Amino acid sequence: MRHQKKTIKLGRTAEHRKALLANQVCSLIEHQRIKTTLAKAKAVRPLAERMVTLGKNGSIHARRTALATLRQKNAVKKLFDDIAPRSAERNGGYTRIVKLGQRKSDSALMAFIEWVDMAEVVEERPAEEKKAKRKEAEPKPQRTEPERAEPKKEEPAAKEEKPAVAPAPVEEAKPKKRRWFSRKSSAEK
């Protein structure tokens, strides 16, 4: 029986598991929120909260202990300078896990893990850049129907009707001449 054996093993060796959890905590410190599987999020939570507790202590020994666990100087610096002071009045419960549902590929349960008192600004990916990379759409032809939304009030006496612009005739696509293993088709002869 596994009584009193709290470690979530995640199907990895001890060294691999320690490295994975340390990297996850460093990513959480850097990005304020990470998306991972629910099992990994539950395994990361105790280590992340332990690191915040070390950061609240603030001694040089606590900083060295955190550096020994996380192995990234910039993450430890941000932890001690930014994240730990924000949580100074809180007695534990520094992280939150938000369940997201199943991943499409393998149906693994996904979750966000984030700081409870994280800064309001979270890195957002700009959606406009993706649209800009696509090729530009052709301009739409002008509408010939009058707009019904709002009548024009500027010049009611002098209404000029614009001539209807007919769309350019579309050329029919010519059938492609196909060659199959360098043979001429019967249509090409």
Side-chain angles (χ1 to χ4, degrees):
M1 288 184 277
R2 292 191 71 251
H3 297 309
Q4 301 291 322
K5 308 220 181 292
K6 194 174 180 180
T7 304
I8 300 173
K9 295 194 176 181
L10 300 173
R12 289 163 170 81
T13 61
E15 295 87 16
H16 188 183
R17 187 170 52 249
K18 282 181 186 177
L20 170 83
L21 296 179
N23 285 332
Q24 292 270 339
V25 172
C26 289
S27 295
L28 180 62
I29 291 168
E30 181 181 347
H31 299 292
Q32 305 295 314
R33 164 196 272 187
I34 56 173
K35 182 178 178 181
T36 184
T37 62
L38 184 61
K40 287 180 191 171
K42 286 181 177 180
V44 165
R45 173 183 259 177
L47 183 61
E49 298 201 1
R50 200 170 310 132
M51 293 299 115
V52 173
T53 305
L54 286 173
K56 284 170 57 176
N57 184 352
S59 66
I60 190 72
H61 178 67
R63 191 176 289 263
R64 286 177 178 162
T65 305
L67 186 61
T69 304
L70 299 181
R71 300 185 207 107
Q72 291 184 16
K73 287 183 182 180
N74 56 356
V76 172
K77 181 172 178 16
K78 188 171 182 181
L79 172 71
F80 277 72
D81 295 344
D82 298 337
I83 296 169
R86 283 194 322 226
S87 304
E89 67 276 352
R90 187 179 288 272
N91 292 326
Y94 310 115
T95 57
R96 153 190 320 135
I97 294 177
V98 181
K99 295 180 183 178
L100 296 176
Q102 294 180 332
R103 184 163 47 195
K104 198 169 191 177
S105 61
D106 61 353
S107 298
L109 293 173
M110 299 299 289
F112 273 130
I113 182 166
E114 59 190 11
W115 301 113
V116 172
D117 51 0
M118 73 177 179
E120 295 298 321
V121 179
V122 177
E123 291 180 20
E124 296 179 8
R125 296 179 184 149
E128 292 83 23
E129 291 181 13
K130 291 183 180 178
K131 292 180 182 177
K133 290 181 182 177
R134 295 181 185 165
K135 67 177 187 179
E136 296 178 11
E138 296 178 8
K140 296 181 180 179
Q142 295 178 353
R143 298 176 72 184
T144 57
E145 299 177 18
E147 294 184 17
R148 297 176 187 154
E150 186 176 316
K152 294 182 180 179
K153 295 180 182 179
E154 295 176 2
E155 299 178 20
K159 289 186 179 179
E160 297 179 14
E161 292 189 23
K162 296 180 182 177
V165 177
V170 180
E171 296 180 14
E172 294 183 23
K174 296 179 183 177
K176 289 185 177 180
K177 295 179 182 179
R178 296 185 175 245
R179 294 189 178 202
W180 188 258
F181 294 141
S182 300
R183 284 192 196 166
K184 292 184 179 178
S185 64
S186 59
E188 291 181 10
K189 290 181 182 178

